[in-house]
Amino acid sequence: MSEEANPFESLQEQVDDAAAYLGVDDGVLERLKHPERVLETNLTVELDDGSLETFRAFRSQFNGDRGPYKGGIRYHPGVSRDEVKALSGWMVYKTAVVDIPYGGGKGGIAVDPREYSDDELERLTRSFATELRPLIGEDRDVPAPDVNTGQREMNWIKDTYETLENTTAPGVITGKAPDSGGSAGRVEATGRSTMLTAREAFDYLGEEIEGATVAVQGYGNAGSVAARLVERELGATVVAVSDSSGAIHDPDGLDAAAVKDFKDETGAVTGYDDATEELSNEDLLTLDVDLLIPAALENAIDDDVAEDVSADVIVEAANGPITPDADDVLTERGVEVLPDILANAGGVTVSYFEWVQNRQRFYWTEERVNSELERTVTEAFDALTDAYEERGLPNFRTAAYVVAIQRVVDAYRQGGTWP
Ligand code: GLU
């Protein structure tokens, strides 16, 4: 096994690789590789048995040259300062590649939420919201869901903020439930952009998506929705999916929605059906399929795994699932990778639509949300492939960063340096 990559170093390497094609000057390049500020704090929470526990929590505001910092809040035992810094940087380039008027941020609490009661999680979330209050705001920094957080946590954060500020400000956070100011289509949005990116990529590469075989690593919100949509809207066949319990494989095709229902009931995809073969996560990543969708966490595919990947195309629903060394191997081997900053950008794009609706207090239909999302993703895909062809870039990730970095640098330069 290769040594586990540090995601923050991976982000910096990705920026360096693309910036080399743009001739960004060194002073500006440094700015593109480091966060503007990082909050690191302790949250001391009373547990149900009356004892106290302290959790580490972070919020990184990476770059605000194009608008308010924007990005999710993750609850996971692996959350660290460097992980949050990396994830916030990826948000900067994600919002730039889809050209929505935001910078990038990310937050997280080092916690395994499965070990705590709902009441404990509410106290933890409200405690984090209290720490975040001076930093966030509709025009300042707008958090959202990420791994292991969703509408419930967003509603608590909104309520804490509004109570402490004695105002209504639904646009302080996105990914809320519809009755609390959430947008139609937000829950599906990340997986929808993965489906749209796969559709555009197969079309661009001259390959048929209908009937294509698909493996999905990770079956949370992004992975399960992507699986359902590639099956339902593109006619692809999902043959394998996994979660932290392991992987299941049926060469004749699984029913993506039924697997999700099974996981919701039992907590795992394994055991779904006696007819399915069980695999390890690594076996799933190296299955001979047309399309592989990593939809779990960072570093799923390192250079060792990359040597054995048999898929023709990878569309990244997770953030940072492929290490830079693995990217080199995949480029060398001719495996096409559609990067996270495009392929999962639907989440933040519909967050932007939610924020616009919150500011206008005027709400859109799901059809309108989905059609604006489709336009956003296809335009971003075209900008990326134009850059790829015109500049003769080595892969689609570099092309996405070239487009995104140029936009961030332009915004920075137009603002000028002051004082
Ligand atoms: N956490 C999601 C992401 O990584 C969504 C962020 C947002 O909606 O602001 O893109």
Side-chain angles (χ1 to χ4, degrees):
M1 274 295 281
S2 309
E3 204 184 308
E4 174 93 354
N6 175 329
F8 183 54
E9 288 169 10
S10 300
L11 163 82
Q12 294 188 315
E13 197 171 328
Q14 289 160 347
V15 172
D16 276 334
D17 284 351
Y21 292 92
L22 291 168
V24 178
D25 65 60
D26 287 351
V28 177
L29 185 56
E30 276 308 291
R31 175 182 182 80
L32 300 174
K33 288 165 53 182
H34 295 277
E36 290 174 14
R37 63 189 69 78
V38 182
L39 168 77
E40 179 170 349
T41 187
N42 297 316
L43 308 173
T44 302
V45 174
E46 187 176 334
L47 303 184
D48 293 341
D49 67 4
S51 64
L52 297 175
E53 185 168 343
T54 295
F55 301 84
R56 309 295 297 159
F58 308 87
R59 179 81 184 165
S60 169
Q61 298 180 330
F62 199 97
N63 182 291
D65 292 335
R66 300 182 71 260
Y69 309 103
K70 185 82 191 82
I73 291 176
R74 162 176 302 202
Y75 289 1
H76 193 274
V79 164
S80 68
R81 190 179 176 97
D82 271 1
E83 186 195 49
V84 167
K85 280 161 64 175
L87 290 161
S88 66
W90 284 323
M91 289 308 302
V92 174
Y93 301 108
K94 188 183 304 187
T95 55
V97 88
V98 287
D99 207 7
I100 57 176
Y102 286 137
K106 195 74 142 210
I109 306 178
V111 60
D112 183 347
R114 291 173 306 186
E115 290 176 6
Y116 297 88
S117 70
D118 290 352
D119 286 346
E120 289 167 340
L121 291 172
E122 178 170 354
R123 289 195 288 277
L124 178 66
T125 304
R126 289 189 187 278
S127 166
F128 193 30
T130 306
E131 288 297 318
L132 289 174
R133 175 166 72 123
L135 298 179
I136 62 177
E138 291 188 315
D139 292 313
R140 209 172 288 144
D141 181 353
V142 182
D146 197 80
V147 172
N148 292 331
T149 61
Q151 292 181 346
R152 182 181 70 163
E153 290 73 18
M154 302 306 110
N155 301 341
W156 287 333
I157 295 173
K158 167 182 172 275
D159 180 68
T160 309
Y161 180 86
E162 290 183 335
T163 304
L164 295 171
E165 293 284 330
N166 187 28
T167 189
T168 59
V172 69
I173 195 156
T174 58
K176 303 175 294 290
D179 287 329
S180 294
S183 175
R186 175 62 185 84
V187 172
E188 280 202 341
T190 306
R192 182 166 288 278
S193 61
T194 303
M195 177 275 287
L196 292 166
T197 302
R199 185 189 76 187
E200 295 300 301
F202 273 65
D203 185 49
Y204 180 80
L205 296 167
E207 290 182 31
E208 193 65 54
I209 186 82
E210 197 175 338
T213 52
V214 184
V216 182
Q217 184 236 4
Y219 221 58
N221 179 254
S224 65
V225 173
R228 185 161 45 78
L229 294 181
V230 295
E231 186 184 272
R232 196 180 66 197
E233 303 211 0
L234 305 180
T237 305
V238 177
V239 295
V241 306
S242 72
D243 64 9
S244 51
S245 72
I248 54 173
H249 177 219
D250 183 346
D252 296 328
L254 297 157
D255 177 336
V259 176
K260 175 73 169 83
D261 291 344
F262 179 81
K263 181 175 163 72
D264 286 346
E265 268 164 42
T266 65
V269 298
T270 46
Y272 163 67
D273 184 336
D274 292 344
T276 58
E277 181 195 5
E278 298 210 352
L279 303 175
S280 70
N281 241 298
E282 173 143 0
D283 290 339
L284 177 134
L285 293 169
T286 55
L287 263 188
D288 187 7
V289 286
D290 300 311
L291 170 63
L292 173 62
I293 301 179
L297 295 169
E298 302 90 76
N299 298 340
I301 301 176
D302 64 13
D303 45 340
D304 290 338
V305 176
E307 294 285 359
D308 296 327
V309 164
S310 310
D312 302 321
V313 179
I314 302 179
V315 177
E316 296 181 322
N319 289 310
I322 298 179
T323 67
D325 286 349
D327 250 339
D328 292 343
V329 172
L330 295 168
T331 300
E332 175 83 9
R333 295 188 53 228
V335 179
E336 306 288 357
V337 176
L338 280 300
D340 46 6
I341 60 170
L342 171 70
N344 70 28
V348 73
T349 300
V350 177
S351 278
Y352 167 54
F353 301 156
E354 179 174 330
W355 180 82
V356 167
Q357 294 169 77
N358 291 155
R359 311 301 298 268
Q360 296 189 334
R361 314 267 168 165
F362 177 77
Y363 287 83
W364 304 358
T365 61
E366 186 166 354
E367 290 68 37
R368 179 171 176 192
V369 169
N370 287 347
S371 98
E372 293 281 356
L373 174 60
E374 180 166 4
R375 183 183 57 76
T376 304
V377 173
T378 52
E379 284 179 8
F381 185 89
D382 291 345
L384 183 158
T385 46
D386 285 352
Y388 175 74
E389 287 170 24
E390 280 162 20
R391 293 176 179 269
L393 298 172
N395 54 45
F396 295 128
R397 189 184 315 279
T398 306
Y401 275 89
V402 162
V403 170
I405 289 171
Q406 187 66 60
R407 288 179 178 157
V408 177
V409 170
D410 285 349
Y412 173 68
R413 291 227 174 265
Q414 286 155 11
T417 37
W418 181 89

